[in-house]
Amino acid sequence: EKIVRAVPAHKDIIFAPDKNLGAYLVKKIGRDMILWQGSCMVHEIFSEKKIIQLKERNPDAKVIAHPECEPQILRLADFIGSTSALLKYSKEDASRKFIVVTESGILHQMQKASPEKIFIPGPPVSTDETCACNDCPHMKKNTLEKLRDCLRDEKPEILLSEELRLKALAPMKRMLELS
């Protein structure tokens, strides 16, 4: 949000990589953007119907959702925020029960931070009750061992011309300054 707000109004924005996050920001701050049609597979599999049913069975639970979820899911949310914002909200809010609509990896951190609270994973569309469909298979490919090996061996190596590297560095630095 800070980055989008920092772009002068007369400049067009092509927003990537997530169309749902982009649409959320368009609605929140009223800035038109060209949305790249990418999305996170995990945030697109949540079932509106099942979340409504879960909320009916748990009327004391707050629905908290990541902004990469589809708009019909976000309409059900009591709070929308980044992964770190969801964790912070679940710690600070007085509610004792939360329906968490994002990648399920955050549930362990929430339970550690607030062991007295109940965290219910948002249900996917799948009819397979054994499906852990709200786990991102791509994020699971990153392991501590792979990170260690990468740092130790300095591989895989990505070669860029100095001109391209410097051009790419400028917006990265600016985004980090803004966030």
Side-chain angles (χ1 to χ4, degrees):
E1 182 178 339
K2 288 179 190 175
I3 294 164
V4 170
R5 287 186 189 275
V7 176
H10 68 280
K11 297 241 182 196
D12 289 335
I13 298 174
I14 299 173
F15 189 91
D18 193 281
K19 65 182 180 180
N20 293 322
L21 177 57
Y24 170 76
L25 289 171
V26 166
K27 184 176 178 185
K28 183 173 183 185
I29 62 179
R31 175 78 187 259
D32 283 333
M33 297 186 287
I34 300 164
L35 304 180
W36 184 70
Q37 292 303 299
S39 61
C40 168
M41 62 194 285
V42 170
H43 292 104
E44 288 204 324
I45 56 89
F46 292 107
S47 167
E48 178 183 22
K49 180 181 174 185
K50 288 182 181 181
I51 292 171
I52 291 168
Q53 291 169 344
L54 196 53
K55 181 70 176 162
E56 287 171 353
R57 289 193 309 272
N58 298 276
D60 55 334
K62 284 198 175 170
V63 176
I64 59 175
H66 194 281
E68 289 180 4
C69 292
E70 294 184 314
Q72 71 273 15
I73 301 299
L74 295 180
R75 282 192 290 276
L76 301 173
D78 297 293
F79 178 79
I80 300 167
S82 66
T83 304
S84 58
L86 294 176
L87 178 59
K88 183 176 187 242
Y89 183 82
S90 71
K91 285 193 292 191
E92 295 175 357
D93 190 79
S95 298
R96 310 255 316 135
K97 194 184 287 187
F98 299 88
I99 299 168
V100 182
V101 190
T102 191
E103 212 272 345
S104 63
I106 192 62
L107 293 170
H108 175 73
Q109 293 302 319
M110 289 177 169
Q111 199 66 69
K112 259 179 42 179
S114 304
E116 74 287 0
K117 296 183 179 184
I118 297 168
F119 299 98
I120 306 165
V125 174
S126 171
T127 55
D128 178 0
E129 297 302 320
T130 65
C131 174
C133 299
N134 50 352
D135 282 334
C136 178
H138 305 296
M139 289 176 65
K140 302 297 183 249
K141 291 177 183 175
N142 297 311
T143 65
L144 288 175
E145 293 79 11
K146 288 179 181 178
L147 176 61
R148 177 204 60 212
D149 294 349
C150 182
L151 292 169
R152 182 192 63 212
D153 304 333
E154 297 183 353
K155 290 183 180 176
E157 183 177 17
I158 299 171
L159 301 174
L160 302 173
S161 70
E162 186 63 7
E163 179 186 7
L164 180 58
R165 186 189 73 77
L166 291 173
K167 282 182 179 178
L169 183 60
M172 295 300 293
K173 281 184 173 180
R174 183 72 176 126
M175 283 191 290
L176 289 170
E177 287 169 9
L178 290 169
S179 56

